Every structure is written in C-alpha cells, then in structure tokens.
Amino acid sequence: MSQTSLRAPMGPVPDVHQAEAIPDAARAAIEALMQSGDLFRYTAPQDAPVALLEAEFAQLLGAKYALAVSSCSAALFLSLKALDLPRDARVLIPGFTFAAVPSSVVHADCIPVLCEVGENYRVDMADFEAKLDNVQAVIISHMRGHTSDMDAILALCAARDIPVVEDAAHSLGTTWHGRKIGTLGAIGCFSFQSYKMINAGEGGILITDDAELVARAVIMSGAYEHNWQKHKSAPSTETDDATGALQAAFAKWQNKLPLYNLRMSNLSAVVIRPQLPELARRVSDGLKNHDYVADQLNQSPYITVPAPLAPEKRAPDSIQFNLVGMSDDEVRRFAKASAAKGVKVQVFGLSEDNARAFWNWQFLPEQQSLPQTRAMLMRACDVRLPVRLREDELDVIAAIVLSAIEDTMEAAAA
Ligand SMILES: *Cc1c(COP(=O)(O)O)cnc(C)c1O
C-alpha cells in the first residue's frame, strides 16, 4: 500500500489485525495436554481445563453458573433453547448487530424481529417498546461494546415477563452502573473469537444465576449421560442450596433434551485461562486508547464519536464514528482515501455484503425495514484499535483518518 500521500512525518501504520501474544503461562498447560492427549472436557473425573475455566469465569463476573461452548453464537442458540421458547417464537434483537445473532435465532427455530437503532448505535427505546408486546424473548446485542439503556430495557421486559438474553460477545469488561455487562439479563453470552477481548481463535461462554436455565443449556451443549455431574456452581456461590438446585434441575431434564454437541475443547480452555488475569489491563488500555483517538477525531467538523450513556463504562477495542455533512459519494471517497493511506475504515452500510447491514440478512423469514438504522449504517464508520497500540501508533491512525477527510472535502470544495 502506498504511503507517499502522507503529509505529516509519522511512523509506520500499525497492523491492526495482529493479535497480542498468548501469555507464556499457557505453554506449560498446552504442553501437558499435548503429552496426555486429554483434549475432551469430560474424560477427566474432575478439574478438566474447561471446568476450571467455567469456575474462574463465573467467579470473575460474579455469576453463579458458567457454561463454556464452541462460540458465542452457540451460547446464544443454547440460551434460546434453554428458555424453552415454542417454535416460531418471536425474538426482538437490535437492527444493528452481527449476522450471527439473527442466525442464532433462526437456528433456534425462532423468528428474529428487528428494532431500530439510533445514531449512537444504541437501541431506539420508542421502537423497542412498540415492538415488545409481540415478542416472547429479547436478545440485546451490545454491538461493538455499545450499551443500550439497560435500565429501561430491563424494566419494560420485567413488566411483561419477557426474558432478556445479553449478547455481550464484544462487551467483556464493560460495566453499567458499576455492574458487569452480561450479568444484567437472565443469561449473558460472550465470545472468545480472535477479535474479542480474550482470544482463543474460537469459543464462547454463557453465564446465569438460574439453575434451571444452566442445567438445560449444559445438557443440550452435549453433557450426555451423567456428564452433567462435572458441572458445578462458581466456588463462591457453592452453597448446599445452589448445588441442590442444580442437581434437581439436571435430574429433571435427564434424557428429555436433544444433545447439540457444542462443547469447548480443553485446548481452547488452556489458551483462555491465562488471559483472564490480563482482562483488567486490556479493558483500561482499550478505553484509554479509544478516548485518545476519539478526542482527535472529534476535532473534525465532519466527524462525531457518540458519547457513552451516563451509567456506562466501556471496554472498546475499536472505534466507531459518524460522518456528518458528507454525501454517499464523499463517504465512499473518504473510505478509499483512508485505505490508500493504510487505515481501513469500514462504513457498515456502504461496504459490499457487509454482515452487519441488516438488508444483507436475506435468510430472515421476515424482511424488515428500519429507515433510521439504515441511515445510521450509511454514515457509521468502524476502525479497529487493538488495545496493545501505543500512543504514537494511535496518532498515526487518527492523522490518516483526519487527512483522508480533509483531502476528500477539500477536493469537494474545489
Ligand atoms: C463476535 C460477535 C458475535 C459472534 O461471536 P462468535 O463467538 O464468533 O459466534 C455475536 N455478537 C456480537 C455483537 C459479536 O461481536
């Protein structure tokens, strides 16, 4: 890629796709697994790496139960199945999310209903409320880690007895009024895919305080026969009551549910566990980096970076911003100019076949029109900001975006 058009002297453009190294602490556990060949979570009588991960993750989030699975999509699918929704139940999801989310709804034999999302990437509460009376469940996707008004969402859903599943795939470490995102709804789902806060290539986990829900999800994830006996509540919540409730729920559902086999392998768990102690640092670095770049981008009259809601403390590893006062053509030219300078800016609604643009979800049983969300997607930009980047590297990214805007708009004025 040519960098000759760069004006200011600056360092090389950082590679925003390069991952952070897996902590060295993983090596011994990986080596032990290679020696033993014990990759399946249910071979060991107890303390398999996947079981240890579940205990540690539940503890970290302050939840009673955790179930590690093959992806966040699998966790979302199992959440809907655990809720025992009838076939063709309607599930309300935000119109701005990743295609995997409506896909998990379809996978669970339910019908996705999309609600409008505002210019700040958060659920439009008026549209949400208007559509709520005709749905049986809600999945709130905290898309790119942006938290919608969870106070209003939880109150509206509680009043109608509608369960809320949190898709916190990209929100690990975010808090709302100081409470951890993923612990607010009936079930919280997280991803360990490489572009999320914790990287195992692939993987997911769900958390809940509800023994019945977790028991159903555990069995359906593939705990055949009596393998559910290897599932426990988080160590700090392991009271006789919690253990008793779990055992009773497992006994109740034995042999009654399909086994979808969405388990996590021990190899993934040993890659994830040593990253848990890194989370706090990644979250604070990610937020610092994001706000540092946001301050620079907000200097441009053509850019706005939406502010978080007041109760929200974010954990970003990317930045989203809206272009204002620019035509479709100028937006396209800007994206091209920025890419030519080395920073790929994805405009959600303009890049071809984008998986986050709802009109590309042609597999939906019911197509829906969301004019407000569509307008937002036509101006909303996405730039990766891995938490490992240094200030000088962030400066390069911000300078390139700003100069691409300047070039585009100067050319337009000329
Ligand atoms: C990544 C992501 C998913 C999907 O997670 P997988 O683990 O890849 O299935 C779902 N929702 C959101 C908001 C995501 O960012």
Side-chain angles (χ1 to χ4, degrees), residues 71-73 98 100-101 141 143 167 169-170 191 193 196 203:
S71 69
C72 181
S73 300
F98 185 57
V101 177
S141 254
M143 183 56 171
D167 167 19
H170 217 151
S191 175
Q193 185 267 342
K196 314 298 160 102

Side-chain angles (χ1 to χ4, degrees), residues 62-255:
K64 269 192 194 160
Y65 311 108
L67 169 64
V69 289
S70 53
S71 69
C72 181
S73 300
L76 291 168
F77 163 76
L78 286 171
S79 298
L80 296 176
K81 285 289 176 194
L83 288 169
D84 206 10
L85 300 171
R87 179 175 287 272
D88 291 337
R90 303 174 75 79
V91 178
L92 190 57
I93 66 171
F96 175 42
T97 185
F98 185 57
V101 177
S103 303
S104 71
V105 177
V106 171
H107 189 191
D109 297 318
C110 297
I111 298 173
V113 178
L114 311 184
C115 81
E116 290 270 31
V117 168
E119 273 182 359
N120 65 354
Y121 319 131
R122 289 158 177 91
V123 167
D124 178 285
M125 290 312 302
D127 197 50
F128 181 83
E129 190 170 357
K131 287 174 174 162
L132 201 52
D133 285 326
N134 293 315
V135 303
Q136 282 79 59
V138 164
I139 296 178
I140 297 297
S141 254
H142 305 298
M143 183 56 171
R144 286 293 190 270
H146 297 285
T147 312
S148 296
D149 184 350
M150 291 306 289
D151 296 346
I153 288 169
L154 294 171
L156 288 166
C157 290
R160 291 161 180 80
D161 225 1
I162 295 175
V164 176
V165 174
E166 283 182 87
D167 167 19
H170 217 151
S171 280
L172 182 57
T174 305
T175 59
W176 177 260
H177 292 299
R179 293 169 63 197
K180 294 189 173 69
I181 282 298
T183 66
L184 307 179
I187 306 179
C189 302
F190 298 86
S191 175
F192 301 123
Q193 185 267 342
S194 290
Y195 293 166
K196 314 298 160 102
M197 243 343 143
I198 290 181
N199 166 23
E202 303 283 0
I205 197 163
L206 65 81
I207 56 171
T208 181
D209 286 341
D210 187 316
E212 181 91 1
L213 289 179
V214 81
R216 288 174 54 85
V218 162
I219 291 173
M220 287 188 278
S221 76
Y224 59 93
E225 297 166 355
H226 293 159
N227 279 312
W228 48 260
Q229 286 169 347
K230 294 171 183 171
H231 288 263
K232 300 200 160 49
S233 59
S236 65
T237 64
E238 211 177 336
T239 60
D240 288 350
D241 274 3
T243 308
L246 196 57
Q247 299 298 311
F250 281 130
K252 176 177 167 190
W253 292 106
Q254 178 80 56
N255 298 343

Side-chain angles (χ1 to χ4, degrees), residues 163-378:
V164 176
V165 174
E166 283 182 87
D167 167 19
H170 217 151
S171 280
L172 182 57
T174 305
T175 59
W176 177 260
H177 292 299
R179 293 169 63 197
K180 294 189 173 69
I181 282 298
T183 66
L184 307 179
I187 306 179
C189 302
F190 298 86
S191 175
F192 301 123
Q193 185 267 342
S194 290
Y195 293 166
K196 314 298 160 102
M197 243 343 143
I198 290 181
N199 166 23
E202 303 283 0
I205 197 163
L206 65 81
I207 56 171
T208 181
D209 286 341
D210 187 316
E212 181 91 1
L213 289 179
V214 81
R216 288 174 54 85
V218 162
I219 291 173
M220 287 188 278
S221 76
Y224 59 93
E225 297 166 355
H226 293 159
N227 279 312
W228 48 260
Q229 286 169 347
K230 294 171 183 171
H231 288 263
K232 300 200 160 49
S233 59
S236 65
T237 64
E238 211 177 336
T239 60
D240 288 350
D241 274 3
T243 308
L246 196 57
Q247 299 298 311
F250 281 130
K252 176 177 167 190
W253 292 106
Q254 178 80 56
N255 298 343
K256 303 256 178 3
L257 299 168
L259 306 168
Y260 294 107
N261 281 8
L262 300 164
R263 295 173 301 251
M264 178 180 278
S265 138
N266 280 335
L267 191 53
S268 301
V270 300
V271 171
I272 293 165
R273 290 181 62 215
Q275 294 182 62
L276 297 181
E278 306 290 319
L279 180 63
R281 173 191 53 82
R282 291 182 185 175
V283 167
S284 70
D285 286 357
L287 184 58
K288 187 161 61 79
N289 286 357
H290 173 279
D291 291 353
Y292 181 77
V293 173
D295 283 346
Q296 295 191 42
L297 297 188
N298 271 327
Q299 302 299 314
S300 166
Y302 298 103
I303 294 181
T304 56
V305 183
L309 301 186
E312 181 186 9
K313 189 153 185 245
R314 304 197 58 230
D317 58 9
S318 62
I319 188 164
Q320 290 72 45
F321 55 90
N322 295 327
L323 299 174
V324 288
M326 292 169 66
S327 68
D328 279 4
D329 195 44
E330 285 159 354
V331 170
R332 279 200 188 87
R333 270 189 283 139
F334 153 71
K336 223 171 137 192
S338 186
K341 292 166 192 273
V343 172
K344 195 170 163 281
V345 177
Q346 166 179 245
V347 184
F348 292 107
L350 285 179
S351 75
E352 199 182 358
D353 298 329
N354 194 297
R356 297 144 204 94
F358 63 88
W359 53 87
N360 289 327
W361 306 338
Q362 292 168 21
F363 55 85
L364 293 188
E366 298 174 9
Q367 288 299 317
Q368 289 152 67
S369 98
L370 303 169
Q372 183 187 332
T373 306
R374 178 183 285 266
M376 177 275 284
L377 291 168
M378 298 305 274

